[in-house]
Amino acid sequence: RKTYALQRAMREERRLAEELAERRLEFENLVLRAPKAGLVRYGKVRNSGVWSKVAVGSQVTDRAVIVRIADVSRMYVRIELPERLYTSVRVGLPVKLKLRSLNEMTLGGEVSDIEFLFRPRRRKDTQRGLYSSHEELGETVFFARIEVDALEGGGLKPGAMAEVIFPFDEKGYPLGGAK
């Protein structure tokens, strides 16, 4: 009886060792390893008919993108400008950026793209038109993209607020140039 019980215990130990090896392999296959350093951004999946951010327990389909690594080596600032500055702003124009999140640190950058279309200015929650909150603000704007070297800034992250300083005077004329 003792040998039978010993053999049974040894078989059980082998079975449990094999199961442990399988579980370790499963765990290794569940670990996500990033191919490069960067900022992880979660993808969106469809849960119960609604698009939502990937979370623990979310069901994902085959080939679904659940995370992305944002390239923070080059960062961009999208800025809204009044249409009166359209002729003064040009691609390659150097600008300075102040970031509150980096203790008012000033970074360099340059205009890398200017959108072709003008749009009515968007209303902020606290702004009202001249007669009511339902009318347009009456100002037309365009958007420009400023390219910033994130490595120069150190801790620059997507979504940070920046104050962009253009080399213009109060009327929108280039500093040091003919008016």
Side-chain angles (χ1 to χ4, degrees):
R1 282 193 145 172
K2 288 183 183 179
T3 58
Y4 176 73
L6 181 62
Q7 288 175 349
R8 189 172 174 196
M10 290 173 69
R11 278 196 308 268
E12 182 67 15
E13 181 185 14
R14 276 194 302 271
R15 187 186 68 75
L16 290 174
E18 288 173 5
E19 190 176 322
L20 179 62
E22 282 181 34
R23 298 288 178 252
R24 283 186 175 150
L25 184 60
E26 285 177 7
F27 179 74
E28 279 295 314
N29 289 334
L30 289 176
V31 174
L32 297 175
R33 289 188 175 80
K36 62 180 182 177
L39 185 69
V40 174
R41 303 202 52 151
Y42 290 93
K44 294 197 175 205
V45 293
R46 202 157 167 82
N47 283 337
S48 303
V50 178
W51 287 98
S52 61
K53 190 163 71 167
V54 172
V56 174
S58 296
Q59 287 188 344
V60 293
T61 58
D62 194 19
R63 297 186 183 187
V65 178
I66 56 173
V67 292
R68 293 176 194 255
I69 299 175
D71 180 13
V72 293
S73 62
R74 299 303 290 174
M75 299 290 280
Y76 300 94
V77 174
R78 187 169 187 252
I79 185 169
E80 177 182 277
L81 296 161
E83 73 175 316
R84 64 183 167 80
L85 294 177
Y86 189 75
T87 57
S88 301
V89 176
R90 66 187 185 290
V91 173
L93 180 71
V95 295
K96 294 188 187 298
L97 293 98
K98 271 191 185 175
L99 289 108
R100 291 185 196 142
S101 61
L102 296 177
N103 297 325
E104 299 293 324
M105 177 186 273
T106 303
L107 302 174
E110 69 176 38
V111 176
S112 63
D113 186 39
I114 300 170
E115 288 187 13
F116 181 69
L117 297 175
F118 293 103
R119 298 183 182 150
R121 184 169 180 217
R122 291 180 305 205
R123 180 186 326 281
K124 303 210 177 9
D125 292 339
T126 58
Q127 289 179 318
R128 295 178 59 106
L130 185 60
Y131 300 106
S132 74
S133 62
H134 300 290
E135 67 177 320
E136 294 295 325
L137 293 172
E139 188 174 20
T140 305
V141 297
F142 68 99
F143 291 90
R145 188 167 82 167
I146 314 289
E147 187 171 344
V148 183
D149 189 357
L151 298 177
E152 179 185 344
L156 190 59
K157 292 195 166 90
M161 298 294 286
E163 177 184 351
V164 180
I165 304 162
F166 283 87
F168 301 147
D169 63 14
E170 303 84 38
K171 294 184 180 180
Y173 295 113
L175 291 175
K179 295 186 180 180

